[in-house]
Amino acid sequence: MLDNNNGDMNSRKPLIYYVIIAVTILLLLNTFIFPLLLARQVQVVGYSDFLSMIDEGKVSEVSLTQQADQILFVAKNDQGQEELYKTAVFPDEGLITRLQNAGVRFSAEIPTQNNTLLSFVFSWILPILIFVGLGRLLSNQLEKRMGGGMNALSFGKADAKMIVADKETGVTFADVAGEEEAKDALKEIVDFLEHPDKYAGIGAKLPKGALLVGPPGTGKTLLAKAVAGEAKVPFFSISGSEFVEMFVGMGAAKVRDLFKQANEKAPCIVFIDEIDTIGKKRDGAGSIGGNDEREQTLNQLLTEMDGFDGKKGVVILAATNRPESLDPALLRPGRFDRRVPVELPDLQGREAILRVHAKDVKCEDGIDLKEIARATSGASGAELANIINEAALRAVRLGRQSVNQEDLMESVETVIAGYQRKNAVMSEQEKRIVSYHEIGHALVAAMQTHSAPVTKITIIPRTSGALGYTMQVDEGEHYLMSREELLNKIVTLTGGQAAEELIFHSITTGASNDIEKATRLARGMITRYGMGEFGMVALETVNNQYLGGDTSLSCSPAYSEKIDEQVVALVKQAREKADRILRENEAKLHELAAYLMKQETITGEEFMRILNAKPESEAAAEPAAEAEKEA
Ligand code: ADP
Ligand code: MG
Ligand code: ZN
């Protein structure tokens, strides 16, 4: 989140700094300014004037001995106000009698300080005011530094971060690549914020709120900022979790304050990130231990959304990746009635996102971002941004000045499979097993017409725990998967273990990930895609379509048992097919595995070249015998 940086900078100065400044100011005031202000104005008059003033009865008080060379005296001026005068000492014997005759009080000393009220103000009230002001300043600073921690003491002030649009967000639609549909939907809001009268003229009401819905990292937050940046309006951003406060009622107070601020700054955008934290469906009446605080906050939000004037130009954007959990009251017309899907990018979108982020790093000429986009099917914008950054880091590590294609490809693998474990040493036997396992996958994939060709096979261990893997990249974008493709995929997944068993007559734990994936696919085919014996019946429902898509069973236990039986049968069938393919191509399996063991990483082209070459019976037979001996 971009927030107002200036404020932050100030709060980083040590508090002691302020104390020192204040004390210095006070000292200066005390020694120089106060005495000047407090001192009476002293007027100098001649001795003869002094005498005549005595005679006229204006003088009330005289100090004779305070200073050796001058006489201080108090006399009424022309307006009848008492003022302080001084005159030079004159050898005058008769002065005392003259003073006595005029009835003037004379003494050794008269006060040079002005009236007591003023001095009270300067010596007491002002310092107190200064200290109180200072205290408030300090506590404000403290609060800012402690962030949420001090909120309990600030009683419900929303600390939404306000960003002055054109300067600070600096994000525009150009920074959000792909997501054309989402941008189109939001352009209307931008237009509304720029020309509200155009809409008011025709009587059109724009949606008060729009809900950005999509998987994590697809650019929802980025889009909201871009709307503010495009419309050049203030952007209030608050995260749903920030509403949940220490004391009951604080969240609601925050909502109130947030909307008050927004109303003052209209037109503006209020962005509530992760709204699902407060917008969850409210519990039914009977439930015990419902979250009162959250419900109060939500109720306040609903009230505020109804309460403010839609024509004023406050647009509320919210983001969530769990739309199905939101309270229906939030989604009705007049609230978040507009839904803007922010989906995972497709091939073109991925290329565009890569291009946007590649602009920030120095790249060699002729890098092929399309290839990277093809290799990253299913990756989110955030992951793609990360891939570019990882590539740049790799380039630096290798002491290069710019990013090349190899950096990018390597970082794709880093993001997918983790870093290479350079110092992990596999025994020769393990290396052999992994080689056969991976070639098993690749060979089965290549032998089935519907499978995408392999692009890379490696047996370099990764930090994610993978000992090797086979990378498959689709040529184009896939939106639908046919039954055959799904089946082939399952067969390919079983190919690894099938190869292990065929060659070594024993299997390892290395296939656990394959097994998981194969099971999930098979299950989906039967319970969700209507490809099993039960036909078009939904036996499972998806809970969180944007968050991993975990499912829950929605059928009777009897059916559940049958589903399991069918899943087992399906995967078993697939495995038998993989076994058959590998048996038929055992020579190629040996040849390719031996090559992979030597090279550790081979490309799709190399793989296909060896696969399509005439079988070299000599070369192929040898490693086979060797492997079997050791197993
Ligand atoms: P979300 O809020 O959907 O979880 P974010 O908006 O926080 O995702 O995105 C995280 C980062 O990923 C962004 O700051 C940006 O660098 C990158 N990103 C995500 N989607 C895109 C996109 N469509 N175009 C460019 N960058 C993107
Ligand atoms: Mg976000
Ligand atoms: Zn495997």
Side-chain angles (χ1 to χ4, degrees):
M1 207 125 309
L2 286 165
D3 62 328
N4 200 326
N5 280 325
N6 300 332
D8 271 352
M9 298 290 255
N10 281 342
S11 72
R12 253 174 242 128
K13 284 179 191 161
L15 295 183
I16 191 76
Y17 192 75
Y18 291 98
V19 175
I20 290 170
I21 287 179
V23 168
T24 316
I25 289 173
L26 265 178
L27 281 176
L28 286 175
L29 284 176
N30 257 328
T31 41
F32 297 111
I33 311 296
F34 287 173
L36 276 180
L37 284 173
L38 294 174
R40 287 184 176 181
Q41 284 293 309
V42 180
Q43 300 205 18
V44 183
V45 290
Y47 196 77
S48 57
D49 293 341
F50 173 42
L51 293 184
S52 56
M53 279 161 100
I54 294 173
D55 293 341
E56 282 161 38
K58 284 181 182 164
V59 178
S60 56
E61 214 174 333
V62 174
S63 162
L64 291 174
T65 55
Q66 198 200 29
Q67 269 122 353
D69 56 347
Q70 59 187 18
I71 298 168
L72 278 168
F73 65 98
V74 178
K76 284 202 177 71
N77 63 11
D78 295 339
Q79 283 83 43
Q81 286 160 340
E82 288 203 327
E83 275 192 52
L84 194 62
Y85 293 88
K86 74 178 179 193
T87 184
V89 173
F90 204 77
D92 181 2
E93 305 288 0
L95 180 61
I96 305 292
T97 19
R98 195 188 279 259
L99 288 174
Q100 276 172 336
N101 290 345
V104 177
R105 280 185 289 127
F106 55 97
S107 62
E109 198 117 53
I110 46 172
T112 53
Q113 297 284 295
N114 213 331
N115 71 59
T116 46
L117 182 68
L118 212 66
S119 71
F120 181 72
V121 166
F122 279 118
S123 57
W124 287 102
I125 311 276
L126 210 65
I128 287 174
L129 282 180
I130 287 173
F131 272 113
V132 168
L134 193 74
R136 295 190 84 148
L137 186 78
L138 289 182
S139 82
N140 277 345
Q141 295 296 332
L142 205 64
E143 203 176 296
K144 264 195 216 157
R145 297 154 125 247
M146 311 271 270
M150 283 284 284
N151 283 336
L153 302 178
S154 66
F155 289 101
K157 276 264 184 262
D159 41 16
K161 294 154 197 125
M162 206 191 92
I163 294 167
V164 180
D166 46 356
K167 268 189 252 124
E168 268 122 303
T169 73
V171 181
T172 62
F173 280 150
D175 298 309
V176 190
E179 308 301 347
E180 295 305 324
E181 296 85 358
K183 275 195 262 180
D184 275 343
L186 292 171
K187 264 176 197 149
E188 201 178 23
I189 291 177
V190 172
D191 193 48
F192 170 65
L193 288 166
E194 278 179 335
H195 320 281
D197 23 319
K198 195 168 88 184
Y199 290 82
I202 204 169
K205 276 200 219 91
L206 230 85
K208 278 186 188 170
L211 190 62
L212 301 166
V213 183
T218 46
K220 297 182 294 297
T221 309
L222 195 66
L223 267 168
K225 278 184 199 157
V227 172
E230 288 280 330
K232 298 192 174 53
V233 296
F235 180 72
F236 293 91
S237 159
I238 195 159
S239 166
S241 54
E242 285 170 46
F243 280 126
V244 182
E245 286 286 319
M246 266 165 85
F247 299 138
V248 174
M250 284 301 104
K254 269 195 168 184
V255 174
R256 215 174 303 130
D257 190 62
L258 176 63
F259 278 83
K260 208 176 114 227
Q261 283 187 47
N263 255 320
E264 284 162 11
K265 289 271 172 6
C268 68
I269 286 175
V270 176
F271 178 55
I272 305 174
D273 212 350
E274 287 144 51
I275 195 173
D276 43 282
T277 43
I278 50 161
K280 270 195 224 107
K281 285 191 185 79
R282 284 165 290 188
D283 297 321
S287 79
I288 306 161
N291 192 339
D292 277 347
E293 168 61 5
R294 199 174 53 71
E295 283 187 15
Q296 276 191 25
T297 309
L298 176 57
N299 286 336
Q300 188 66 40
L301 181 63
L302 296 177
T303 316
E304 293 289 345
M305 284 196 77
D306 286 342
F308 75 85
D309 184 1
K311 292 191 209 86
K312 222 175 155 184
V314 181
V315 171
I316 304 161
L317 297 178
T320 180
N321 37 39
R322 316 185 50 184
E324 67 288 328
S325 76
L326 289 182
D327 196 290
L330 265 178
L331 303 174
R332 78 143 171 74
R335 289 170 185 156
F336 291 108
D337 46 2
R338 186 166 290 193
R339 225 181 230 243
V340 180
V342 187
E343 298 289 351
L344 287 173
D346 58 10
L347 181 61
Q348 279 180 0
R350 289 197 299 276
E351 199 187 332
I353 293 171
L354 286 168
R355 187 151 297 127
V356 163
H357 289 279
K359 257 191 297 193
D360 300 337
V361 299
K362 228 189 249 155
C363 292
E364 266 173 27
D365 293 337
I367 53 162
D368 183 7
L369 291 176
K370 189 156 210 130
E371 189 192 351
I372 311 299
R374 253 194 262 115
T376 47
S377 163
S380 69
E383 281 166 322
L384 293 170
N386 190 21
I387 284 171
I388 297 283
N389 193 47
E390 283 288 343
L393 290 176
R394 184 176 188 266
V396 173
R397 257 200 312 275
L398 300 182
R400 262 186 281 109
Q401 302 294 313
S402 58
V403 174
N404 64 20
Q405 190 73 7
E406 203 192 323
D407 294 328
L408 287 166
M409 277 318 273
E410 179 57 37
S411 73
V412 169
E413 287 172 53
T414 303
V415 172
I416 293 173
Y419 289 98
Q420 288 188 0
R421 271 163 56 193
K422 281 274 159 54
N423 44 8
V425 185
M426 277 200 287
S427 70
E428 280 299 294
Q429 176 64 2
E430 266 177 339
K431 238 169 133 178
R432 181 171 289 121
I433 293 173
V434 174
S435 298
Y436 275 99
H437 179 109
E438 296 305 331
I439 293 293
H441 284 305
L443 196 55
V444 169
M447 286 299 164
Q448 298 179 98
T449 43
H450 294 283
S451 287
V454 254
T455 44
K456 184 172 179 179
I457 308 167
T458 154
I459 54 166
I460 297 170
R462 296 271 162 178
T463 46
S464 65
L467 294 177
Y469 71 92
T470 304
M471 199 159 105
Q472 285 183 306
V473 171
D474 295 323
E475 275 304 319
E477 194 72 16
H478 272 275
Y479 299 102
L480 289 173
M481 289 259 273
S482 70
R483 191 193 148 99
E484 286 68 37
E485 279 170 322
L486 282 171
L487 278 173
N488 285 344
K489 220 169 170 173
I490 299 174
V491 175
T492 301
L493 284 166
T494 60
Q497 203 182 53
E500 284 182 43
E501 179 137 46
L502 178 70
I503 306 302
F504 304 102
H505 308 296
S506 107
I507 51 177
T508 64
T509 53
S512 63
N513 190 24
D514 301 334
I515 292 168
E516 225 171 87
K517 281 193 206 153
T519 312
R520 192 152 2 107
L521 279 177
R523 222 184 155 78
M525 284 176 73
I526 291 158
T527 61
R528 295 193 353 249
Y529 307 133
M531 294 173 178
E533 211 171 78
F534 305 112
M536 293 178 63
V537 179
L539 299 168
E540 262 180 1
T541 47
V542 179
N543 294 333
N544 268 321
Q545 54 168 328
Y546 293 128
L547 298 174
D550 50 326
T551 55
S552 55
L553 224 51
S554 58
C555 62
S556 69
Y559 262 85
S560 159
E561 222 168 274
K562 278 195 210 158
I563 292 169
D564 291 341
E565 276 167 25
Q566 285 197 27
V567 170
V568 172
L570 194 64
V571 175
K572 201 165 168 207
Q573 233 181 331
R575 170 66 194 269
E576 276 158 14
K577 187 173 174 194
D579 283 339
R580 202 172 57 242
I581 291 173
L582 290 177
R583 246 183 282 119
E584 284 164 7
N585 297 283
E586 207 177 322
K588 283 290 173 197
L589 178 61
H590 286 304
E591 194 184 340
L592 285 159
Y595 186 70
L596 176 60
M597 244 183 92
K598 205 163 74 208
Q599 303 288 321
E600 299 207 332
T601 299
I602 62 174
T603 64
E605 287 100 67
E606 282 174 290
F607 177 86
M608 291 314 278
R609 190 166 43 75
I610 296 173
L611 184 64
N612 293 330
K614 285 260 167 326
E616 304 161 44
S617 44
E618 275 352 324
E622 223 172 87
E626 203 179 286
E628 255 163 325
K629 247 184 274 158
E630 276 182 41

